[in-house]
Amino acid sequence: MMESDGSNGIGSAVVVGLGLMGGSLARDLAARGVRVFGWETDRARLRAAVEAGIVEEGYGHPVDVVVLAGPVLTIPSLLRVVLDTLEPHLDAVRLVTDLGSTKSSIIRAAEEMGIGDRFVGSHPLAGDHRSGWDASRAGLYADARVFLSPTRQTTDDAMRLASALWAGVGARPEVIDADLHDVRMAWRSHLPQVVSTALGLTIAQTGSVPADLGPGGRDVTRLAGSSPEMWADILLDNADALNSALAMMGVHLKDLHQAIVDGDRARLMRLLTEARNWHREGRDPVS
């Protein structure tokens, strides 16, 4: 199995799912001399990746690393299919990871399937509102934070390899507990997606389109253009943590609404000022 200095000792990998995230990682790994196998249910995507010289088709080969880049709710079933296919070569696999935006349910699935020792969940904070192989590009992960969540059985070797995988494509890996990761993402990523979606739906009721909005409106509604398939899975998988965030969001919207209805400029100024201070200085609101 060939090795490459640029890949930190990773000679081969299979990337399951060649959309924006998986396709971009496949491009970066291939550019660093890693032999990349690809698997994708969308045959057009797979054909495009093969014709581009980035991947070889199939994943029934001995590999160092397995990367699952499918939608969050499909990752456990994808993991089972991959393990069954790789079963004759499973001893050669040093690391199995995924690119999902939630971690706890995937970690549990890996442990239940008996590969907790070599599994590390990955969540790269990189992406685009576009999707598919055509949206993938080299360098997507350059200087991106990547959260790494080990299982209870993850070995030191698997953790080192996961860090090397992401550092090798220019990312900045950080280790975090899976449950804590999901709570933080509910507030920092998943709530903004829901808010942007709700704002888009609300503005759409007026007959307006994104081009009608000013720069601020376009910024806030940009996330509404994200993949429905991807986000439906993420929001459902992290529902428990997200429910708390949505409840708090409702409190603040109601507070702002009431201040406007009451014509209470002092109250409105306080809320707006607290939010501005948080944005400018990272200070917590005190109300």
Side-chain angles (χ1 to χ4, degrees):
M1 199 173 292
M2 78 175 180
E3 300 239 337
S4 165
D5 292 339
S7 66
N8 292 288
I10 299 171
S12 58
V14 57
V15 178
V16 182
L18 295 169
L20 169 67
M21 306 297 282
S24 295
L25 183 59
R27 289 179 186 274
D28 281 343
L29 291 175
R32 285 158 177 76
V34 177
R35 186 181 184 189
V36 183
F37 297 95
W39 187 83
E40 171 61 71
T41 55
D42 185 324
R43 300 300 297 178
R45 281 188 190 180
L46 179 58
R47 185 167 56 253
V50 172
E51 291 175 353
I54 302 299
V55 306
E56 300 175 45
E57 184 173 354
Y59 60 102
H61 309 275
V63 292
D64 296 318
V65 176
V66 174
V67 180
L68 303 169
V72 165
L73 291 183
T74 70
I75 287 176
S77 59
L78 281 175
L79 182 56
R80 171 52 63 197
V81 171
V82 171
L83 292 180
D84 288 346
T85 303
L86 284 176
E87 198 277 331
H89 312 295
L90 204 52
D91 288 345
V93 177
R94 299 164 57 200
L95 170 68
V96 181
T97 191
D98 73 288
L99 307 186
S101 295
T102 55
K103 295 273 72 82
S104 296
S105 62
I106 297 169
I107 293 289
R108 286 194 299 271
E111 291 178 334
E112 290 168 1
M113 293 181 198
I115 59 161
D117 59 335
R118 71 193 79 180
F119 191 90
V120 179
S122 299
H123 176 203
L125 299 186
D128 199 301
H129 64 280
R130 299 172 299 165
S131 60
W133 169 258
D134 290 340
S136 69
R137 60 185 183 275
L140 178 68
Y141 301 108
D143 203 37
R145 296 171 71 190
V146 178
F147 292 123
L148 300 180
S149 296
T151 72
R152 290 170 294 181
Q153 300 89 28
T154 299
T155 64
D156 290 343
D157 180 64
M159 279 302 302
R160 281 193 296 268
L161 198 61
S163 294
L165 169 72
W166 290 109
V169 298
R172 295 179 287 115
E174 302 176 25
V175 179
I176 186 172
D177 172 77
D179 291 338
L180 177 58
H181 166 277
D182 287 359
V183 170
R184 286 183 176 176
M185 287 301 103
W187 291 84
R188 300 177 184 180
S189 175
H190 307 164
L191 178 62
Q193 176 65 46
V194 173
V195 171
S196 181
T197 298
L199 182 58
L201 291 170
T202 304
I203 293 174
Q205 298 300 303
T206 70
S208 298
V209 297
D212 296 328
L213 304 179
R218 290 196 296 272
D219 286 347
V220 180
T221 56
R222 178 181 62 83
L223 294 176
S226 301
S227 166
E229 294 81 7
M230 177 185 77
W231 275 104
D233 285 358
I234 292 170
L235 301 179
L236 290 173
D237 194 56
N238 206 25
D240 289 344
L242 183 57
N243 285 341
S244 297
L246 286 170
M248 183 59 70
M249 183 73 194
V251 169
H252 288 299
L253 280 174
K254 183 177 180 180
D255 207 5
L256 285 161
H257 186 192
Q258 194 62 52
I260 293 168
V261 169
D262 294 344
D264 189 343
R265 188 176 190 277
R267 175 71 175 155
L268 195 56
M269 278 292 296
R270 186 162 75 84
L271 295 170
L272 292 168
T273 300
E274 288 177 0
R276 183 196 63 183
N277 289 343
W278 168 81
H279 187 266
R280 288 185 175 180
E281 305 168 20
R283 284 167 29 188
D284 291 331
V286 295
S287 61

